[in-house]
Amino acid sequence: ENPTGSNVPASMLFSEDRRNEMVYKVTVHGIPGPEPFTVFPVSEKTTAKQLLQQILTATERTDSDVTDYYLLEEKAFISKEKNECKKQPFQRVIGPDEEIEKILSSWCPEEGHVGRIIFKTKE
């Protein structure tokens, strides 16, 4: 449960756009800067590639190629049992055509699954 008392994860907070398209706020971790994460608006149809372009624009890396970066989904299981050993988080590369909102909606905090999106540089 988040501080407002609802079961909606913070990464899924939304507002309604004037065109009646839902706009979600997604938290992206790992972006270089003073904060450990940055929040970006996405629509229901925003792809990972489009989000990467937003990130590059926001971080003034407009001379960078979007293919030099990728997004990583990290899902963790949060146990309510104190004696249960902590499992390693599941990580996977998000494909450029995947819709961000679908990834966010696959996380089920009420079932103990939490997730985050991480910005990475290809090496």
Side-chain angles (χ1 to χ4, degrees):
E1 229 175 72
N2 67 25
T4 61
S6 73
N7 286 329
V8 178
S11 59
M12 291 281 292
L13 294 176
F14 60 88
S15 61
E16 198 161 337
D17 189 78
R18 280 177 253 172
R19 296 178 308 276
N20 272 346
E21 183 176 289
M22 294 301 282
V23 176
Y24 300 87
K25 304 231 187 264
V26 61
T27 303
V28 181
H29 297 261
I31 297 172
E35 300 296 329
F37 60 85
T38 306
V39 178
F40 292 92
V42 296
S43 74
E44 294 177 34
K45 300 294 180 189
T46 299
T47 65
K49 183 177 181 179
Q50 291 168 329
L51 179 55
L52 279 170
Q53 289 168 332
Q54 279 187 51
I55 293 168
L56 295 179
T57 300
T59 58
E60 298 176 356
R61 296 171 190 237
T62 52
D63 58 334
S64 298
D65 187 353
V66 72
T67 60
D68 293 338
Y69 305 92
Y70 64 97
L71 296 174
L72 188 74
E73 175 187 20
E74 182 178 87
K75 282 199 292 200
F77 179 75
I78 306 300
S79 174
K80 293 179 182 173
E81 302 296 323
K82 291 183 180 180
N83 60 355
E84 189 173 324
C85 73
K86 187 174 179 172
K87 297 177 184 175
Q88 288 294 329
F90 165 79
Q91 292 185 332
R92 73 173 188 91
V93 173
I94 299 172
D97 296 323
E98 288 187 62
E99 293 174 357
I100 298 299
E101 189 277 329
K102 286 184 180 175
I103 295 167
L104 300 177
S105 64
S106 74
W107 302 339
C108 300
E110 61 276 356
E111 294 175 12
H113 297 102
V114 294
R116 65 182 186 160
I117 293 178
I118 304 169
F119 176 75
K120 294 287 207 175
T121 303
K122 289 184 181 174
E123 295 177 14

